[in-house]
């Protein structure tokens, strides 16, 4: 939860910072272009031609725009000739070289208006230039260049990026700390609930196991002392053992569902587990087991509970018909010869708390079977048997060698 909270906050901050950086970069570029364009246009208006057609530069020396310009130049060209530099401020090296001046001059002649371009000065520094035309009536034969070095603006932009990065990092750390605190406080009641549930399950299992153990001791002592009804005493002992295993299975299932325990995956013989589970059922008349050696990995208590539910469900809803249990590669199939389950109910009977009248009532037995199957990476399904009846299957992945 803390990681999710911090990641979400970081993503939002990164998006906002990217927008801020992009906006600041465009704003600074636009401001720089506006500054040089305003200076070039203003100085172009103070230049004029006298009666003899001579370009007068007097206005430049008196205009404050010239004082604030980082680089300033005036070029003039006769028709068909290359432009010549008439004025340079602060020095000639602060202006583009002759080749660049000619390129700028051709651009102004083509656009017939103020243009803004990036070009290096003669000293190698890159400047942002605004070139404004100066007209002699309808003739364009001169232009004013105003340039500025964008390095300072770029440095301020880099400084903003660094501050944003540092601020985002601090905010992410703060968000992670606050998220950890809030999620911790929010999860404490749930953790306490899980601890209380675990304690309750442990106490319930203990309370159930204690009388069962006492009953077993009493049965064994009665069998030794009186020597009567050994079959009944053996049956009672078997039932006590079965109840003990049932309690263990229920406790394991409750803990797995609560997330407080992982299932025990051990290699086991599925055929032997099925045979032992069927033998422990109270009434196995009419139940036959046909099994081949199959090794799977899983929790023996949970798998035994799933097999027990399959067989008991077949006995309960098979109408007293024979039940056939078959174990093949990764598959336990239990068939009855009863009235069967309608095709439309084959999936619904695996839902929890499904119960109904007649032969389709299943309670939660089959729901537990599917839960155990999916927990082991397998499936559980119901199908119609050839000749009538129902086949319930528990399919598990076989254990791979090595």
């Amino acid at each position: 939860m803390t990681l999710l909270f911090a990641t979400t906050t970081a993503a939002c901050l990164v998006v906002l910072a990217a927008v801020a950086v992009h906006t600041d970069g465009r704003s600074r570029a636009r401001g720089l272009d506006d500054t040089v364009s305003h200076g070039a246009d203003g100085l172009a208006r103070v230049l004029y031609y006298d009666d003899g057609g001579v370009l007068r530069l007097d206005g430049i020396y008196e205009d404050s725009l010239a004082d604030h310009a980082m680089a300033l130049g005036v070029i003039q060209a006769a028709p068909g000739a290359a432009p010549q530099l008439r004025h340079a401020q602060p020095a000639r090296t602060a202006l583009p070289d002759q080749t660049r001046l000619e390129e700028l001059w051709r651009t102004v002649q083509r656009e017939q208006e103020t243009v803004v371009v990036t070009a290096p000065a003669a000293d190698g520094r890159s400047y942002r230039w605004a070139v404004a035309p100066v007209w002699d009536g309808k003739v364009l034969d001169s232009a004013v260049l105003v340039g500025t070095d964008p390095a300072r603006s770029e440095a301020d932009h880099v400084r903003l990026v660094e501050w944003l990065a540092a601020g985002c990092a601090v905010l992410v750390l703060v968000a992670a700390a606050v998220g950890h605190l809030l999620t911790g406080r929010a999860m404490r009641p749930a953790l306490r609930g899980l601890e209380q549930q675990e304690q309750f399950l442990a106490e319930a299992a203990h309370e159930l196991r204690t009388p069962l153990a006492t009953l077993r001791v009493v049965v064994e002592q009665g069998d030794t002392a009186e020597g009567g009804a050994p079959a009944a005493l053996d049956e009672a002992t078997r039932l006590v053992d079965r109840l003990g295993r049932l309690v263990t299975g229920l406790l394991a299932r409750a803990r797995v569902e609560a997330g407080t325990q992982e299932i025990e995956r051990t290699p086991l013989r599925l055929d032997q587990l099925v045979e032992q589970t069927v033998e422990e059922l109270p009434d196995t008349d009419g139940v036959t087991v046909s099994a081949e050696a199959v090794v799977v990995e899983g929790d023996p208590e949970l798998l035994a509970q799933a097999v027990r539910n399959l067989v008991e469900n077949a006995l309960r809803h098979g109408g007293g018909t024979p039940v056939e249990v078959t174990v093949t590669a990764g598959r336990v199939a239990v068939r009855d010869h009863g009235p069967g389950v309608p095709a439309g109910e084959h999936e619904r009977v695996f839902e929890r708390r499904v119960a109904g009248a007649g032969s389709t009532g299943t309670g939660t037995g089959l729901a537990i079977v599917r839960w155990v199957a999916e927990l082991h990476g397998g499936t559980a399904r119901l199908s119609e048997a050839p000749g009538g009846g129902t086949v319930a299957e528990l399919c598990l992945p076989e254990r791979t060698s090595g």
Side-chain angles (χ1 to χ4, degrees):
M1 292 292 291
T2 302
L3 180 62
L4 178 62
F5 194 83
T7 302
T8 303
T9 303
C12 294
L13 289 174
V14 167
V15 172
L16 290 176
V19 172
V21 168
H22 179 70
T23 303
D24 180 74
R26 293 190 61 181
S27 177
R28 289 181 184 277
R30 189 180 300 112
L32 202 65
D33 290 351
D34 289 344
T35 299
V36 292
S37 296
H38 175 72
D41 289 338
L43 292 174
R45 285 192 293 267
V46 302
L47 299 182
Y48 64 95
Y49 290 86
D50 60 17
D51 296 337
V54 178
L55 179 65
R56 307 293 299 184
L57 306 179
D58 303 348
I60 288 182
Y61 304 112
E62 299 174 358
D63 199 299
S64 61
L65 290 175
D67 298 333
H68 293 90
M70 182 174 292
L72 171 62
V74 178
I75 56 177
Q76 187 175 15
Q84 301 298 318
L85 188 63
R86 291 284 309 276
H87 177 77
Q89 178 184 328
R92 175 66 181 84
T93 56
L95 298 178
D97 57 22
Q98 184 62 33
T99 301
R100 298 287 182 181
L101 286 177
E102 292 175 5
E103 292 177 359
L104 295 176
W105 176 246
R106 286 194 295 269
T107 302
V108 171
Q109 286 184 314
R110 181 177 65 253
E111 300 295 334
Q112 298 286 299
E113 62 181 12
T114 302
V115 295
V116 180
V117 296
T118 299
D123 58 7
R125 298 169 64 182
S126 180
Y127 277 68
R128 191 67 172 166
W129 296 98
V131 186
V134 179
W135 298 87
D136 181 12
K138 295 183 179 181
V139 178
L140 172 59
D141 70 346
S142 59
V144 176
L145 288 78
V146 174
T148 185
D149 188 353
R152 181 175 180 180
S153 178
E154 291 174 357
D156 291 340
H157 180 70
V158 171
R159 192 176 300 111
L160 173 66
V161 173
E162 292 173 349
W163 276 105
L164 284 175
C168 288
V170 172
L171 288 176
V172 168
L173 293 177
V174 172
V178 173
H180 182 73
L181 178 63
L182 293 179
T183 53
R185 295 184 62 180
M187 292 295 290
R188 284 194 197 101
L191 294 175
R192 282 197 297 267
L194 287 175
E195 292 175 357
Q196 292 171 358
Q197 182 184 20
E198 174 65 18
Q199 182 179 359
F200 168 76
L201 291 172
E203 293 175 353
H206 176 74
E207 293 297 329
L208 287 171
R209 286 191 181 118
T210 300
L212 289 174
T214 304
L215 178 59
R216 180 183 178 86
V217 172
V218 171
V219 169
E220 291 176 346
Q221 289 176 348
D223 189 13
T224 303
E226 299 178 6
L233 292 175
D234 289 343
E235 178 66 15
T237 302
R238 189 180 63 79
L239 290 175
V240 169
D241 291 340
R242 177 174 178 266
L243 286 173
R245 283 189 290 272
L246 179 61
V247 168
T248 301
L250 291 173
L251 179 62
R253 182 166 65 88
R255 285 174 172 171
V256 170
E257 286 186 327
T260 60
Q261 175 180 312
E262 297 290 336
I263 65 169
E264 178 187 356
R265 294 185 181 272
T266 58
L268 55 89
R269 285 282 297 274
L270 183 61
D271 54 310
Q272 294 177 356
L273 181 141
V274 171
E275 291 172 349
Q276 181 181 354
T277 302
V278 172
E279 289 176 0
E280 293 173 354
L281 293 175
D283 183 11
T284 57
D285 294 339
V287 180
T288 59
V289 179
S290 174
E292 62 181 48
V294 178
V295 179
V296 297
E297 286 188 353
D299 189 302
E301 299 294 341
L302 293 179
L303 290 176
Q305 186 177 1
V307 172
R308 187 182 303 113
N309 287 358
L310 283 177
V311 178
E312 289 179 343
N313 186 75
L315 289 171
R316 185 181 307 114
H317 302 292
T321 61
V323 174
E324 302 164 2
V325 182
T326 305
V327 182
T328 56
R331 174 177 173 268
V332 178
V334 179
R335 174 184 177 174
D336 62 54
H337 295 266
V341 178
E345 300 288 321
H346 285 176
E347 284 297 319
R348 198 176 72 88
V349 294
F350 285 103
E351 299 176 2
R352 290 184 182 269
R353 294 181 297 276
V354 171
S359 63
T360 60
T362 61
T364 59
L366 292 183
I368 293 174
V369 173
R370 171 161 286 184
W371 175 79
V372 172
E374 292 176 347
L375 200 62
H376 288 79
T379 59
R381 58 177 178 262
L382 218 63
S383 60
E384 296 181 5
T390 304
V391 178
E393 295 177 285
L394 171 65
C395 301
L396 301 171
E398 284 192 88
R399 182 172 182 262
T400 57
S401 59

